[in-house]
Amino acid sequence: MTDNELAFLRDDPEMADLFIAEAIDHLGTIEAALLALDDRPGDTTLLNDIFRPFHTIKGNAGALGVTSVQEVAHGVENLLDLARSGCHAMTATDVDVVLRAVDVLTSMIRDVGARLKGQPPADLGPAAQSLIDAVERCIAGGVEPVTIAEAAIPEPSRPADAQVEAAAATRRADENASIKVDTRKLDSLVDAVGELIIVQSLIQEDPTLATRLEGRLAGNLGQLKRITADLQRNAMALRMVPIRQAFQKVARIVRDLSRKADKSVELVLSGEDTELDRKVVEEITDPLMHMVRNSVDHGIETPDVRASAGKRPQARVTLSAYHQGGHIVIEIADDGKGLDTDRIKAKAIERGLIAPGATPSADEINMMIFEAGFSTAEKVTEISGRGVGMDVVRRNIDALRGRIEIVSERGKGTTFRIKLPLTLAVLDGLLVGVGKERFVMPTTAVRESLRPLPAQVHMVQGEPRLVQVRDSLLPLVSLGEMFRLPHEQDPCQATVIVIEDAGTRIGLVVDALLGKQEVVIKSLGDSFSAVRGVAGGAILGDGRIGLILDAHGIVALGRGERRAAA
């Protein structure tokens, strides 16, 4: 194996780890099937079960430039292909040779990992060539049967065999152990840790212990809290994966669509190593692909139009991810023509989304593109234009407890900015009280809180409906009224929380602001899935249940889309 074979994998360590882990897993599957084939040598199903992973290993190795592994796997694949097509009867000797191929390939794959970590290479060339020769003799039918020693390793000294075993032993001792784990087991572990955190919090805040928290008991409870916090962080880390896999799919979309639309597009990626919860990465992939598809189809101009506008003929789409506070921000930016705000406004008025005479801001107008069925495209293309998709993008991002913003300048380009939580299992929230009930508002939606003065509150038909916050006049919405709970009627005696969703802000009136709290999210089940403004539930430190509020639903209700919330 030459250094040139490993050039691609050196540039992409994550891809190298994935290739090695998958290959070792496939080889284990092959070995188990080969042992079963000993008892059922003519079983076509088993032969197919052995052929497929060899084919996968060969294909992956070829794609990544590891030609030595590709050649060995290809030789064995030829033998297996003849066997499964009925042109060659597998004998015990054939099975022995294929088993030996498993050993040699395992050593070669482990050697790849070791060399990428800077360890000296193992000389596995003689063993690989001997195996290839043995496979060719099996395919040819041989004048006489060959033993496994003859097929795989030269006799009498068997130096290559010793080399393989020594190399394998060294690699096993040096490499970092890794295993594949069913994601359901990881999710179950995270859920169990969440329950542990809840119980620890209940014990910590138990009123019967409040007067006894001193000395050794206080120390032990403090240590318990630290251990559970560490356990929670480690459990969450198990579900974190780089966003690279989502970005790679987007790169393929840009390549294909730019050619189909006859546009020259350069894709710039940054922050591919940024890690998110596995489920977040899975769920955000489709929205990213759809938004990039729209950027290439609608946002990017053709080369001649760009040239006439003084732009370089090749457009640029930038996809980036970075940390901001306790969240992840993903940006999709293009240097295209930007959004036509006037056209969007006219279409929104035509559809009744904006009342005639209303003066929404440019940001609020641009957010209209996320309304169901909304489209300003003059023609429908096979890529986009039917007004289907951006509303789904918005719903998917809402389901991830994220929010999206648009920054667009006519003739300069558009940037979509998505802010997402690191994980879906735990939420940083603002704990508020209404009457005897407790609610949790995600901190990502909270802009500020205040106790308004009477001069800041404006009445409409005798009811407090607007609040002045500096230069803005915001709708005033009572959370108690929304959920039909006993509540403080006078906003000036309550607390107003300014929350924002998609550029729209409202003042949410609550009785009390109880502080910030990290909570473990619990699903409320299908029975509550249609409740507007509620995203889930949480068990609070005092053992009570608190509803987690959905900022998008609350803002929508506050804007007048009032349905029964309970």
Side-chain angles (χ1 to χ4, degrees):
M1 189 180 299
T2 65
D3 286 338
N4 289 338
E5 289 183 67
L6 305 182
F8 185 89
L9 293 179
R10 282 198 174 94
D11 293 336
D12 195 338
E14 183 188 349
M15 183 66 73
D17 291 341
L18 183 61
F19 166 68
I20 292 168
E22 286 193 349
I24 295 297
D25 187 51
H26 285 314
L27 290 167
T29 301
I30 291 168
E31 187 174 53
L34 281 168
L35 296 175
L37 190 65
D38 258 342
D39 297 327
R40 296 174 305 202
D43 191 321
T44 305
T45 300
L46 283 176
L47 286 169
N48 283 325
D49 289 343
I50 298 167
F51 174 85
R52 281 192 294 268
F54 263 117
H55 182 72
T56 300
I57 292 172
K58 183 199 78 170
N60 290 346
L64 299 176
V66 190
T67 54
S68 54
V69 171
Q70 180 190 18
E71 289 170 1
V72 172
H74 179 63
V76 180
E77 181 191 44
N78 287 340
L79 171 63
L80 295 170
D81 193 40
L82 289 171
R84 69 184 191 134
S85 63
C87 299
H88 180 90
M90 287 290 287
T91 66
T93 298
D94 295 330
V95 173
D96 287 341
V97 170
V98 180
L99 279 170
R100 187 57 192 166
V102 170
D103 295 338
V104 172
L105 283 170
T106 298
S107 294
M108 295 176 74
I109 296 296
R110 294 185 189 280
D111 185 57
V112 169
R115 293 177 67 175
L116 291 174
K117 295 174 183 176
Q119 297 177 22
D123 183 15
L124 299 173
Q129 186 57 53
S130 179
L131 174 66
I132 291 172
D133 293 341
V135 171
E136 289 176 355
R137 290 201 298 272
C138 289
I139 292 174
V143 177
E144 58 185 36
V146 290
T147 65
I148 181 58
E150 293 171 340
I153 306 297
E155 292 286 2
S157 61
R158 302 175 65 185
D161 188 41
Q163 186 90 36
V164 171
E165 296 303 325
T170 301
R171 304 309 177 230
R172 284 193 293 269
D174 292 340
E175 70 179 1
N176 291 325
S178 62
I179 59 172
K180 283 190 174 182
V181 179
D182 191 318
T183 54
R184 289 172 297 184
K185 293 182 179 179
L186 286 180
D187 293 342
S188 178
L189 173 63
V190 171
D191 289 342
V193 171
E195 296 293 338
L196 178 62
I197 294 292
I198 292 170
V199 173
Q200 178 270 324
S201 181
L202 292 176
I203 295 173
Q204 191 86 27
E205 299 188 22
D206 193 317
T208 61
L209 292 177
T211 58
R212 304 180 186 179
L213 284 182
E214 56 185 25
R216 199 166 86 179
L217 177 59
N220 289 340
L221 286 176
Q223 180 69 359
L224 174 63
K225 184 175 182 179
R226 286 189 291 274
I227 291 172
T228 52
D230 287 343
L231 181 60
Q232 184 184 43
R233 281 193 295 271
N234 290 333
M236 294 301 174
L238 294 175
R239 301 205 322 183
M240 304 295 277
V241 297
I243 199 170
R244 178 182 284 108
Q245 64 186 66
F247 279 16
Q248 287 174 342
K249 291 183 179 180
V250 170
R252 177 63 184 273
I253 283 286
V254 171
R255 175 185 176 276
D256 293 346
L257 292 184
S258 61
R259 293 185 179 186
K260 187 174 293 185
D262 197 23
K263 298 176 180 179
S264 178
V265 182
E266 174 194 13
L267 177 65
V268 179
L269 301 179
S270 66
E272 302 104 304
D273 292 328
T274 304
E275 291 190 334
L276 284 134
D277 188 291
R278 170 187 58 80
K279 184 172 177 59
V280 177
V281 173
E282 291 173 355
E283 296 296 330
I284 200 62
T285 300
D286 284 346
L288 287 181
M289 292 172 68
H290 189 88
M291 295 172 77
V292 169
R293 186 182 293 115
N294 270 9
S295 290
V296 174
D297 191 35
H298 292 309
I300 300 299
E301 313 96 327
T302 56
D304 56 331
V305 173
R306 290 179 62 84
S308 64
K311 296 182 178 181
R312 64 173 191 153
Q314 185 182 43
R316 175 176 292 170
V317 174
T318 304
L319 186 59
S320 59
Y322 56 89
H323 288 268
Q324 187 180 79
H327 298 79
I328 295 293
V329 177
I330 302 174
E331 290 187 354
I332 305 103
D334 65 65
D335 63 350
K337 58 187 177 183
L339 295 179
D340 189 337
T341 304
D342 294 336
R343 193 170 178 184
I344 294 172
K345 182 178 180 181
K347 191 73 173 181
I349 293 174
E350 177 187 321
R351 292 192 52 193
L353 298 174
I354 298 177
T359 57
S361 67
D363 289 343
E364 290 175 325
I365 293 171
N366 288 337
M367 291 302 294
M368 294 291 173
I369 66 174
F370 291 108
E371 296 293 331
F374 192 93
S375 177
T376 59
E378 294 179 350
K379 62 179 181 178
V380 174
T381 72
E382 60 181 297
I383 300 173
S384 56
R386 298 184 184 276
V388 177
M390 291 303 276
D391 60 319
V392 177
V393 167
R394 171 65 176 274
R395 287 202 300 271
N396 288 352
I397 292 173
D398 288 345
L400 293 172
R401 302 200 318 275
R403 60 189 181 89
I404 187 167
E405 301 170 352
I406 301 176
V407 178
S408 184
E409 185 177 353
R410 191 72 184 272
K412 299 293 185 180
T414 303
T415 298
F416 292 92
R417 187 174 294 117
I418 304 169
K419 193 171 186 179
L420 297 167
L422 284 171
T423 177
L424 299 180
V426 177
L427 171 75
D428 280 329
L430 199 64
L431 188 62
V432 301
V434 176
K436 296 181 179 180
E437 303 301 326
R438 300 290 179 263
F439 298 89
V440 180
M441 174 62 73
T443 55
T444 53
V446 178
R447 294 293 162 266
E448 60 182 299
S449 63
L450 67 149
R451 175 163 287 180
L453 299 173
Q456 293 176 272
V457 178
H458 297 259
M459 312 296 283
V460 177
Q461 296 180 345
E463 297 289 335
R465 292 302 182 194
L466 298 169
V467 61
Q468 185 83 31
V469 180
R470 289 184 291 279
D471 297 332
S472 300
L473 198 61
L474 307 180
L476 201 57
V477 181
S478 169
L479 189 62
E481 180 181 322
M482 188 177 292
F483 286 92
R484 302 173 188 170
L485 297 171
H487 61 281
E488 173 62 56
Q489 301 291 330
D490 184 0
C492 299
Q493 299 300 316
T495 298
V496 174
I497 303 171
V498 178
I499 63 174
E500 182 178 357
D501 174 71
T504 301
R505 294 186 298 161
I506 66 168
L508 187 67
V509 182
V510 299
D511 289 357
L513 193 61
L514 304 177
K516 185 179 176 182
Q517 186 170 338
E518 186 178 72
V519 297
V520 178
I521 300 167
K522 296 291 183 183
S523 171
L524 297 178
D526 295 338
S527 301
F528 294 87
S529 61
V531 176
R532 197 77 177 277
V534 175
I539 301 176
L540 306 177
D542 58 3
R544 300 171 65 179
I545 302 296
L547 291 179
I548 298 172
L549 299 175
D550 166 38
H552 177 60
I554 294 293
V555 170
L557 288 168
R559 289 167 60 195
E561 300 170 26
R562 296 179 179 274
R563 294 188 221 163

